[in-house]
Amino acid sequence: TEMQNAAREFYGDTRLNECLHDGLQLNGEELLHRLLEALHRFSENRALLDDIAVVCIDYHDRSQRAVPPVSG
């Protein structure tokens, strides 16, 4: 969220949330690629001056499983 473009605007939480929301249907790897592409577009492909750290977790809602869990 701290990445800046040529106008010295920050990428910010709002843009990050929009990118993540737009990628809800994607798996973790696809979402990561989408985010990195968005950051590069925003920065107008300028060299990175800082590191990028992203943690991506694929969550599978077990309550939506086709086969109910075995109780025992």
Side-chain angles (χ1 to χ4, degrees):
T1 59
E2 297 174 352
M3 180 179 278
Q4 291 181 314
N5 61 13
R8 300 186 56 88
E9 299 170 313
F10 288 99
Y11 188 75
D13 291 338
T14 300
R15 286 184 182 93
L16 176 62
N17 287 333
E18 288 172 358
C19 182
L20 296 176
H21 183 267
D22 291 346
L24 285 176
Q25 76 285 359
L26 303 175
N27 67 38
E29 186 175 349
E30 293 168 333
L31 185 57
L32 175 60
H33 286 291
R34 178 179 284 202
L35 176 58
L36 292 175
E37 288 172 3
L39 290 170
H40 285 289
R41 279 193 310 274
F42 176 77
S43 69
E44 300 161 349
N45 294 319
R46 293 173 42 200
L48 298 176
L49 301 176
D50 203 353
D51 62 329
I52 295 177
V54 179
V55 175
C56 188
I57 300 171
D58 277 327
Y59 173 75
H60 304 277
D61 186 353
R62 292 181 183 260
S63 67
Q64 302 298 318
R65 295 189 325 181
V67 179
V70 177
S71 60

